[in-house]
Amino acid sequence: MLAMNSTLLVGPSDWDPARMPRDEFLARATALWRASPSAAGAVVYGDRTHHAELAYLTGFTPKLESALALIPRVGAPRLLVGGGPNMLQAAKPLTFIEALVPLRNVGETVAQWAREQSGGGRPVLIGGAFMPYPLRQRIDEVMAEGARSIADKTGELWTLMRRKSPRELAAIRDACATLSAALTAMDEAQRSGAGATAVVLAGEHAAHRQGAQDVRTLFSLDGGRTLRPFDTSVERAVDPLQTYVAVRRFGYWAEGFAVVTASPGQCVRGANVLLRYALEKIRPGRRCGDVGRSVVEAARPFEPHPLVTSVQGNAIGLALEEQPLITPASEDTFEPGGIYSVRVGLRDESDSAVVSAMVAVNEFGSDVLWSSAMGKV
Amino acid sequence: MTFDERLAAIRAGMTEHKLDALVAVHDGNHFIETPNPVFVLCRFKSLGPAAVILRGDGETNLIVTPAWDAQRAAECCPGAHVVGADDVVEALAGALGGGAQGAVGVAGLPFTRWEVASRVAAALPQASAADDIVFDAAAAKTDDEIANAREATRIAELGYRRMLEIARPGMSEDELAVELRWYTKTLGADDNFLLLCAGPRNPAVAPSNGRVMQAGDILVAEITPSYHGQLAQICRTVTLGPASDELKEKYDLLIRAMDAGILAAVPGVPMAAVCRAMNAVLEAKGYGEYCHPPHIRRRGHGLGFGSIRPGDVSLDNETVLEAGMLFMIHPNQHLPETGYLLCGEPVVLTKDGAEPLTQQRSALAEIG
């Protein structure tokens, strides 16, 4: 779910080898080479807003300026960090990569690095769509070989990122626990009669206190019909308060929709029933489209909430929205190892609600990691 | 200047450049260093990619993603025709109506991510760059933006006061940064560019990391809240423990450099003169070589999120200063004896000179 992007990321992002050892990153790169057999290496881009691919391969979260990893098929990777040589000391704890250099003369640096790669293949590009326009033009220019431009293999990497490892699942479980703490704090603040902003900020503070790397929230001032980011303080109490909270821990996201209220209306009750129905449908091998369609059909006689009309969820991990999406038209299947954010929403003339769950699919079925229908983890 | 007067200036620029329509794009990646023409034209801070079409007669179309954010956009921009879309480029092409739009200028492409910008460029192959038309007209802030900058500065100063209360040895940089960011949000800040780090000798100011602060550290912080999308910044230096006499002496030098910069900032002079005035104070004490890269590259900058004009306070910026401009004056400096120190204020230029927006100017502070 898209929330407001921050101009600078400030939460704890240091690489923790006990949580995610170097070998796991190396295994990911090895899997990428298997998926791209002719690749001599990978040029991997990330910035504050889009860096799931970079984090997947390097552990690095670009808090300030963008970064570019040059990962050879054979040999040691290099990380080009924005902001000049004085920024390297601060960036060092954020990654297992030892060779950090300033992100300068990008075109020449990447071209030279590509020439140095052995084996006759050509490097591939990861995250190129997220590069600023002039940077991508420059990369395309220096990496073109005749009429052939550099191959973008972001999609292949996304496929590899779908199946979460036990360590990734552990991180997401921690994020879910923090999400739960945030919503509990919101609930307490709501019961105390706090204003809308104070309720949301109580949740954010609780998440930060648990070590959240990032917290993003949306909330509604019109009974859940529309959501908005924080842009100005709202002192008045709003009940029911439709909220969305995304919490990141150890690089991995958990997100949840919940209606914070002492007296749930019929849309909240109905949405919780619908969510349980959706969760029962999720099984390994089942098509995402089947779940999406059945949720839309089961919503009747309510209208589906506009937030969930076309998309009923998505995979989640290092990015808030990963592939596949859960939509009525999706041909993708739920796969063991996949973690999904599933959301349903209802509305009628006087009421509306969106609720959601975090689900881990395994070989035998699925585990609900967090659900607003359950209240707690 | 009012918002309507700024729009009139932009439309005058369109007339001068014979443009029938001006398209502004932004990808939702809000950053202190990059301007946002959508925000300049509509005062709307989007969640995702967004675009504006401004026509010569003033008709304005605002296209926002995700589609469900359209109501917030409509509340923010009551004068615009707002469209919520899942694909900003598709909606933009539809709103422009094929090839019948006449001469079009585009602003924002250099700062927009490739997946959006490349499609806009392909959809408008004849369009000319119109960044200067938008950002020249936004070089001076509107009255509302200046009022927002004053409030952002007030929040920054309260954030700094909070930092003095809670920063202590044993706390990590990340913990402190997260707490301060949250605290300034409780005061109304919608974002905060909060660069903060500590050490016995900082090579630069950098984003916080997990380092645990120690007694004797020098803590440097750029506290930069945004209020209604307008950033303002204060640059501060604090010691965790008593400051040495040498540090006090060097910090006093920076304060004098800042004072010189503030005095030099008057309408009609080039921005480079402000930088030279600060450099002169440091050069007189033998720090001439530290007045250039790699030690420093600028002594201040404009403040977005809309326009970042008048640009950097640097020797190569010949922008002539005018009343209403808002920018940072910060002689932040790496000195061989102390490492990197921060000292800076946001100023708005009046006809009489630079007015610092802070209630309390930068001074070296000691905790404990």
Side-chain angles (χ1 to χ4, degrees), chain B residues 48-97:
Chain B
V52 175
I53 305 168
L54 176 67
R55 299 183 197 272
D57 62 3
E59 183 190 330
T60 305
N61 295 62
L62 170 61
I63 301 161
V64 301
T65 63
W68 52 260
D69 204 24
Q71 181 167 322
R72 185 175 69 95
E75 288 167 16
C76 179
C77 318
H81 173 61
V82 175
V83 174
D86 293 324
D87 183 326
V88 72
V89 183
E90 211 170 81
L92 177 63
L96 281 168

Side-chain angles (χ1 to χ4, degrees), chain A residues 6 48-49 63 87 131 204, chain B residues 29 114 181 185 205 208:
Chain A
S6 176
R48 291 175 318 288
T49 309
K63 287 184 158 187
M87 289 293 155
M131 287 177 167
E204 291 190 12
Chain B
N29 192 352
W114 185 82
R181 191 177 195 284
K185 197 168 183 179
V205 61
S208 60

